[in-house]
Amino acid sequence: AQMEQTFIAIKPDGVQRGLISEIVSRFERKGFKLVAIKVVVPSKEFAQKHYHDLKERPFFNGLCDFLSSGPVIAMVWEGEGVIKYGRKLIGATDPQKSEPGTIRGDLAVVVGRNIIHGSDGPETAKDEINLWFKPEDLHQFRYLIKSGMS
Ligand code: DAT
Ligand code: MG
């Protein structure tokens, strides 16, 4: 069976603020494995596909404009429980409600600039990985040192 994978993206505000390494580091130090990463400026149409579940919400248009406003770091992270625990590392959608110690809790202030995206469940993880990456972009490898990671 394929190890669990999730889609994580650093949004344009996170990139602009120089938070790429900070965010990658939190997933990496936890013990999750980075199996795909790229820099991409999504078109507005692509952003609308990514956020299609939210198309009836009043903030949808602004959200899609924002996601397509500059470079995004698109990633696939792998590991046991990575979908659910990834959301835990990220924190609540509204940074005012995110706990300290989470990415949004520590690094963001407002919901419209919450710096990171993470898939919210197994189905969306699969859909989002397929939307952003080709299968051959996902690399399979093993860590060669003893660390508890596989
Ligand atoms: P999450 O990113 O935590 O999965 P979501 O899927 O409900 O949250 O919404 C996607 C993004 O939309 C969210 O990261 C920021 C934006 N958003 C959500 N609720 C909002 C609101 N009430 N006003 C403005 N932007 C909002
Ligand atoms: Mg979501």
Side-chain angles (χ1 to χ4, degrees), residues 11 51 54 57 59 63 87 90-94 104 111-114 116-120:
K11 298 181 190 178
Y51 279 129
L54 299 171
R57 308 295 294 274
F59 55 82
L63 176 65
R87 294 281 299 192
I90 288 169
T93 301
D94 180 354
R104 287 168 173 164
V111 71
R113 295 291 183 273
N114 63 5
I116 181 168
H117 169 83
S119 305
D120 63 10

Side-chain angles (χ1 to χ4, degrees), residues 8-141:
I8 300 291
I10 304 175
K11 298 181 190 178
D13 53 340
V15 175
Q16 287 291 321
R17 290 178 52 204
L19 296 172
I20 298 169
S21 59
E22 167 75 37
I23 291 169
V24 168
S25 172
R26 290 182 182 218
F27 280 82
E28 192 175 39
R29 284 182 298 161
K30 169 67 179 168
F32 295 133
K33 188 195 285 184
L34 183 61
V35 298
I37 183 167
K38 65 180 173 183
V39 186
V40 45
V41 182
S43 65
K44 181 152 183 194
E45 196 179 34
F46 189 92
Q48 288 166 340
K49 270 187 204 160
H50 171 75
Y51 279 129
H52 69 273
D53 283 351
L54 299 171
K55 63 176 178 290
E56 307 302 335
R57 308 295 294 274
F59 55 82
F60 179 69
N61 190 52
L63 176 65
C64 294
D65 274 337
F66 174 60
L67 191 71
S68 58
S69 68
V72 167
I73 307 300
M75 299 176 278
V76 178
W77 285 89
E78 181 178 290
E80 193 174 323
V82 70
I83 300 172
K84 208 169 186 182
Y85 208 92
R87 294 281 299 192
K88 229 171 181 171
L89 289 177
I90 288 169
T93 301
D94 180 354
Q96 296 290 334
K97 295 179 181 143
S98 317
E99 295 297 326
T102 65
I103 291 166
R104 287 168 173 164
D106 290 348
L107 305 170
V109 179
V110 293
V111 71
R113 295 291 183 273
N114 63 5
I115 69 173
I116 181 168
H117 169 83
S119 305
D120 63 10
E123 283 309 309
T124 47
K126 202 189 297 168
D127 291 349
E128 291 171 358
I129 290 168
N130 288 335
L131 176 65
W132 288 79
F133 289 98
K134 300 189 226 100
E136 62 265 31
D137 294 335
L138 308 186
H139 295 277
Q140 289 186 19
F141 65 98

